[in-house]
Amino acid sequence: MSRIAATFERLAESEEGAYIPYVCCGDRGVEFTGELMRRLSRAGADVIELGLPFSDPLADGPTIQAAMVRSLSSGFKVATLFDLISRARSDGMDTPIVVMTYYNLIIRMGLDIFCKRLAEAGADGILPVDLPMEESADLERIAGAHELDVIRLVSPTTNDERMAQILQSARGFVYAVAISGVTGQRDSLPHSAIAMLKRLRDKSDLPIAIGFGISNQEQVRQAIAAGASGVVEGSALIDIYARGLSEGEDGALDLVEKHAREMKDSARAAVASREKRS
Amino acid sequence: MRAKGYFGGFGGFYVPEVLVASLKELERDYQQISQTAEFEAELQSLLRDYAGRPTPLYYARSLSDRAGGARIFLKREDLAHTGSHKINNAIGQALLAKRMGRSRVICETGAGQHGVATATACALLDLECEVYMGETDVERQKLNCYRMNLLGAKINVVKSGSRTLKDSINEAMRDYAATSEDTHYLLGSVVGPHPYPTIVREFQSVIGTETKEQMARETGGLPDALVACVGGGSNSIGLFHPFIDDEHVQMFGAEAAGDGIETGKHCASVVVGEEGVLHGSRTLILQDDDGQVSDTSSVAAGLDYPAVGPEHAHLSASKRAKYFGVTDQEAVLAFHLLSEAEGIIPALESAHAVHLAAKIAREFSKDQSIVVCLSGRGDKDVAQIAKLEGRL
Ligand SMILES: Cc1ncc(COP(=O)(O)O)c(C=O)c1O
């Protein structure tokens, strides 16, 4: 069984929601990224999403764009991603790792080499942000051959028929996009997101992680009550360590770790209270 | 299941899921609306009475004499309303937006020509208009910004990435992902995800269709070659497309070679770009070894784009069209040449095509003919050239 599947199985058994932080590779330096992964894992992250910086991230909001610009202008190279993952694995980190990337970076290296190196480094999945199902046959075949899950996205504007088709090829978990737009913080979950979660739950037994705009514990409770298996948080984490950096890197990492624990606690509690209610 | 919108191995539909529903709706509505007689009639009447079509086809005798070879004809898109071919697409899509029930239109612009054309079409059709424009471009194109304001458009200054055209496209797509219920994204060239490369080509094909009729009247036949500048590739596809099946008509695209291909400061994406995915399309892209998109450079802001429309990538791969780099210096010389020889000041973008045409004319005989798409007029560039030459 894949590491991702095993993780969600364990969470289902212990009735916990998943907490999935997103980390932009190379922002504030590669060492910082490595340390961030370690701290998040220690705080209880169930899956870590590692984002590859891209020059033209059209699905991302201002916070992640800025992080990507910082990373690229400090000289980040795609090859570093594999080092980061294999180092985390040799340090004993067992948290599943999903790599979030724009498709051009995969094409450039070659689908087979990219997937092979990811698998060898110890990653578990790929989440291609700008690859809809119409274009994804090649990647699905090759990733599958390397035992990597291709994580599929659905959005509130994905209609029922399309959702069913996407779910057919979905592996690991489904990534539900909470807003019609780009990443960045929002206060609460829009109605369309709640409706999407219900539609997804009706159609599939796969775990559902909801992301884009998640930053607080109230949203975690809302999302899980509406049927999500967990939440993804990105921009908010970047903002937290940006604020903390005036206290030095350790201070920033402490703040992130504390926040991550709180989010994981909410995710843990939310499933139990959902079960009680139903 | 293969996506639609492929030209050979290029094109397609590489977009985040949040954009899928809007683009599918656009594809469907475009197919339905553009085929109605009513839409066609309204478009034709606006192109004629408002935009000034058909634009003339002019035999440039003096330019031809100086080049020394084929007879060179100029397709005068510079005489269309707002001063460039961009108006053809802007009116077509604005009309489409109106009929799709949208009240707001957004667009990207580099030089400002597409922004001005879109602002114009929106003023005409009473649509709210917002233009995304990179901070760098806003600084170098102040006059066009003022024109857009006069026309009632709002400019959103883009401060992300390299702050130029490619970042404005990213920003417009982000806006569209969140607002497509009431907003149409009026993309300005034959780039981006399906259905844009097809929609924009269809609205620009009026250039080639008119040229064909005009050449038949003028010379009794087809031209021997077509030449156009290629940024995203809309004026060139507009000229080329109606001739694609006329195998004996050769096609030449002039890309901006900036300081020279060897310097790395250029935007010749067909000549030296490599396959990849940018802005929703599989095409030829200027990129580094990792797949990060390169910064580009050209004296002509309208050509300053690191990729090219997918249909050009296909025309190049299938050898139906040939593409050459023209440097800043060569373009500026052609800018002067056309001004002096014909009394026509071309846009710097179009000057790239003029240079290439004058160069290849020598390989043709005097009874052969070449049509150059003069995509825009040079008023917008006069101050820049005067400054470059130390006269301002
Ligand atoms: C006058 C003129 N010609 C050409 C272009 C290049 O665009 P395309 O290659 O889409 O025709 C522009 C773009 O702004 C332009 O203003």
Side-chain angles (χ1 to χ4, degrees), chain B residues 128-146:
Chain B
E128 193 189 328
C129 178
E130 288 183 36
V131 180
Y132 284 93
M133 189 165 181
E135 194 173 33
T136 313
D137 293 328
V138 168
E139 278 157 22
R140 39 180 194 190
Q141 302 288 340
K142 290 221 171 74
L143 198 61
N144 269 342
C145 293
Y146 182 59

Side-chain angles (χ1 to χ4, degrees), chain B residues 84-86 111 113-114 188-190 229-236 302-303 347 349-350 375-376 380:
Chain B
S84 85
H85 69 291
K86 296 282 178 190
Q113 289 304 102
H114 175 57
S189 192
V190 287
C229 68
V230 181
S234 68
N235 84 85
S236 44
L303 302 181
E349 291 80 9
S350 322
S375 57
K380 69 181 177 62

